[in-house]
Amino acid sequence: MLTMKFGGTSVGDVPRLQEVVAIVKKFLDKQPVVVASAMGGLTNVLLDTAQKAVERKSAEVKTAVAEIYERHALIANAMILNSSRREVLIKKQQQSIDELTNLYHGVSLLRELSPRSLDAIASFGEIMSCRQIAAIFEENNITSFFVDARTIIRTDDNFGEAAVDFSYSNSQIHETLTSLVHNGFVPIVTGFIASTEDGITTTIGRSGSDYTGSIVGSAVGSEEIWIWTDVDGVMTADPRFVKGAKVLPEISYREAAEMSYFGAKVIHPKTMVPAIVKNIPIRIKNTFNPEHPGTLISAKPDKQGSSAKTVTSIDNLAIIAIEGNGMIGVPGVSARIFSALARAQVNVMMISQASSEHNVCIIVPRKDCTAGVKALRDEFSIDIAKKIIDDVSVREPVSIVAVVGEGMIGSKGIAGRTFDAVAKADVNIIAIAQGSSELNISFVVEQSEAMKAVQSVHDAFHL
Ligand code: ADP
Ligand code: ASP
Ligand code: MG
């Protein structure tokens, strides 16, 4: 079997969907399982509209819902010529639109928008998109079957970023999808969405369809997992912002995980986890240029010399700094910091501590900053009162820039070249961290200067 995940841009309009049909037809002998996202940009529209509903901007909600319907109806009218098939599809889409309208109405009446409601609302993007793809496949003589992932992937109830229960899901996925494939169907599985034990809709994190692709690919024992997107593969930097970014033919799972964690949006960081378990290669391919070989992500550490391979950056972060002479040599300060942040459910992206132990910097997403500062001020209130700790201060917005590559391991001078390049770009480094794996050097700069730093480091390593 071959699992193919198609992202939002690959399923967002008629020419792309025609290309998806051609790609799947070409690989029918490999028994494809398809995972797909919502039409490009639709998840944002669904979530933004929820915000309007809670603010009771009913006219705007109505217009948005009509546009969501229209985007799908346009595809159905253009691509499904068989009138009864088209009518069945449009009727089902209309039912989803009615359900969505009711949800928005509920949100607006209650003036309350919980993560649980947001997940229920977001799920319509993948459901309508995959139902539509299944009908398009049928229209093109590909025997297909729409699979709502909520029936096969179980998660906990951490809405918005739910954790997958693999012991339950793996067997459900395997059973359902292999039987469909063996009966000659191409399953079209909704990315991004899942459900709790009680059947409540969850999502597994923004851009999570990549992760669904590899959960599914691993559970069915795919020979490879192909992620179809709108670029030729994983590149040395984000091609939208960095001049001269090039496609990498091969990278390791570890490199892919590091660079996606630090902002390479091309693949969701968790995607590598299920693939590693079964050692299944992941390939990133371009729906707009299907003949390009793309990037192969596998276990093989492809050292490619002794240098860095990619430069990435991640925005919208804040630095929380805890400072004070009283911290020097006192055991347990770090433990208290991390326990306090964990209790407040703050996601720590990076830490940096000077060897003097006078200052500890914690880098967190801006959205978690207020909760993080409060948790730390509460935890250290006595120490602050006694002047053991000066204060908990914040600097934002900042970005982490990360230089990643297996070839950096054991190579001398990488840090020197990196920081030299940053200095040449006249960018000030606020904090630095290097993991002991040496696979990654990351540092923090003002957000407004991040791209300058990325470009300069990219140029310095001739990426
Ligand atoms: P999809 O809808 O297919 O999931 P995404 O927009 O999530 O697509 O991811 C693809 C985009 O990721 C590309 O268009 C590109 O702009 C961006 N990107 C960021 N960093 C990188 C990188 N290092 N290599 C390739 N693409 C990158
Ligand atoms: N549609 C979802 C999102 O926009 C999942 C995905 O595209 O991967 O986050
Ligand atoms: Mg994506």
Side-chain angles (χ1 to χ4, degrees):
M1 273 184 266
L2 182 62
T3 300
M4 299 210 237
K5 178 261 169 175
F6 293 93
T9 41
S10 300
V11 298
D13 59 31
V14 173
R16 276 316 99 218
L17 283 161
Q18 278 163 344
E19 195 57 60
V20 170
V21 169
I23 290 167
V24 171
K25 271 200 165 162
K26 189 168 168 195
F27 294 101
L28 273 181
D29 60 327
K30 292 210 177 272
Q31 300 186 301
V33 172
V34 170
V35 173
S37 299
M39 294 174 76
L42 209 93
T43 309
N44 285 344
V45 173
L46 286 163
L47 299 176
D48 293 347
T49 306
Q51 201 49 50
K52 291 189 179 126
V54 85
E55 291 161 16
R56 298 198 170 167
K57 295 178 176 162
S58 53
E60 287 178 45
V61 173
K62 207 171 160 193
T63 310
V65 172
E67 278 170 14
I68 294 168
Y69 174 77
E70 265 316 304
R71 264 191 87 180
H72 292 90
L74 205 87
I75 302 279
N77 289 328
M79 298 189 78
I80 316 270
L81 303 181
N82 176 311
S83 58
S84 61
R85 181 178 293 128
R86 189 176 59 241
E87 271 162 33
V88 170
L89 172 66
I90 289 188
K91 200 166 158 206
K92 290 223 173 102
Q93 302 292 53
Q94 185 60 60
Q95 275 167 6
S96 287
I97 290 290
D98 292 345
E99 282 172 45
L100 181 63
T101 306
N102 285 340
L103 278 179
Y104 284 141
H105 189 57
V107 163
S108 144
L109 282 179
L110 294 170
R111 290 207 182 187
E112 185 191 60
L113 187 55
S114 63
R116 175 173 160 162
S117 310
L118 283 171
D119 278 1
I121 288 166
S123 70
F124 285 89
E126 269 65 17
I127 290 171
M128 293 179 76
S129 165
C130 291
R131 184 191 283 142
Q132 159 174 292
I133 295 169
I136 294 168
F137 279 15
E138 285 290 328
E139 180 76 12
N140 287 278
N141 305 316
I142 304 171
T143 315
S144 69
F145 199 94
F146 166 68
V147 180
D148 183 338
R150 292 176 296 183
T151 61
I152 53 174
I153 303 180
R154 180 184 281 178
T155 65
D156 66 7
D157 62 358
N158 183 21
F159 297 102
E161 190 88 48
V164 175
D165 171 354
F166 283 96
S167 60
Y168 175 88
S169 309
N170 279 344
S171 56
Q172 279 304 111
I173 296 168
H174 188 270
E175 211 174 288
T176 309
L177 300 187
T178 47
S179 125
L180 282 170
V181 169
H182 291 149
N183 285 299
F185 291 96
V186 175
I188 320 289
V189 185
T190 53
F192 182 50
I193 65 173
S195 77
T196 64
E197 195 177 353
D198 302 328
I200 311 295
T201 301
T202 56
T203 64
I204 57 174
R206 289 305 307 273
S207 299
S209 296
D210 298 331
Y211 186 30
T212 307
S214 95
I215 294 167
V216 164
S218 170
V220 300
S222 269
E223 115 194 26
E224 289 195 358
I225 297 160
W226 290 8
I227 310 272
W228 289 91
T229 183
D230 62 349
V231 283
D232 282 337
V234 177
M235 303 176 81
T236 49
D238 188 336
R240 287 170 300 176
F241 305 113
V242 177
K243 285 197 289 290
K246 290 188 219 52
V247 177
L248 293 158
E250 270 186 57
I251 56 172
S252 69
Y253 289 131
R254 290 210 304 169
E255 287 170 333
E258 286 286 327
M259 62 186 291
S260 55
Y261 179 77
F262 286 111
K265 186 177 175 261
V266 65
I267 186 162
H268 189 282
K270 287 185 186 163
T271 312
M272 273 51 73
V273 177
I276 289 171
V277 174
K278 293 232 180 126
N279 200 12
I280 301 175
I282 302 171
R283 215 177 268 282
I284 309 293
K285 300 217 13 118
N286 190 352
T287 322
F288 295 73
N289 185 15
E291 298 311 319
H292 194 286
T295 300
L296 180 68
I297 306 173
S298 69
K300 192 174 122 237
D302 167 38
K303 277 200 143 199
Q304 280 194 359
S306 52
S307 188
K309 215 179 255 181
T310 68
V311 192
T312 62
S313 67
I314 180 160
D315 289 346
N316 280 318
L317 305 176
I319 291 193
I320 305 178
I322 306 175
E323 276 189 0
N325 288 324
M327 284 158 60
I328 299 174
V330 179
V333 172
S334 301
R336 285 172 64 197
I337 292 175
F338 295 119
S339 305
L341 293 174
R343 278 195 303 276
Q345 297 204 309
V346 172
N347 174 19
V348 177
M349 301 284 302
M350 179 178 139
I351 43 167
S352 167
Q353 180 182 27
S355 58
S356 72
E357 301 180 48
H358 168 84
N359 169 305
V360 179
C361 289
I362 299 125
I363 292 85
V364 302
R366 282 179 91 184
K367 66 174 177 49
D368 289 352
C369 185
T370 310
V373 170
K374 179 173 183 316
L376 293 170
R377 286 204 174 125
D378 289 350
E379 172 65 35
F380 290 100
S381 58
I382 295 171
D383 309 70
I384 293 170
K386 286 185 181 166
K387 306 250 185 281
I388 294 172
I389 284 177
D390 298 341
D391 194 15
V392 179
S393 64
V394 175
R395 185 162 175 178
E396 61 178 337
V398 296
S399 302
I400 296 179
V401 177
V403 185
V404 175
E406 301 253 14
M408 290 160 57
I409 300 173
S411 298
K412 296 187 187 71
I414 303 280
R417 270 168 87 184
T418 303
F419 299 132
D420 194 39
V422 181
K424 278 202 184 110
D426 199 23
V427 173
N428 176 42
I429 296 177
I430 306 168
I432 300 173
Q434 176 181 16
S436 59
S437 69
E438 295 185 50
L439 179 70
N440 171 355
I441 294 174
S442 32
F443 54 93
V444 182
V445 298
E446 289 286 351
Q447 183 167 302
S448 58
E449 301 197 308
M451 271 311 137
K452 249 190 343 180
V454 170
Q455 183 74 58
S456 181
V457 174
H458 190 267
D459 295 345
F461 283 102
H462 308 295
L463 300 179

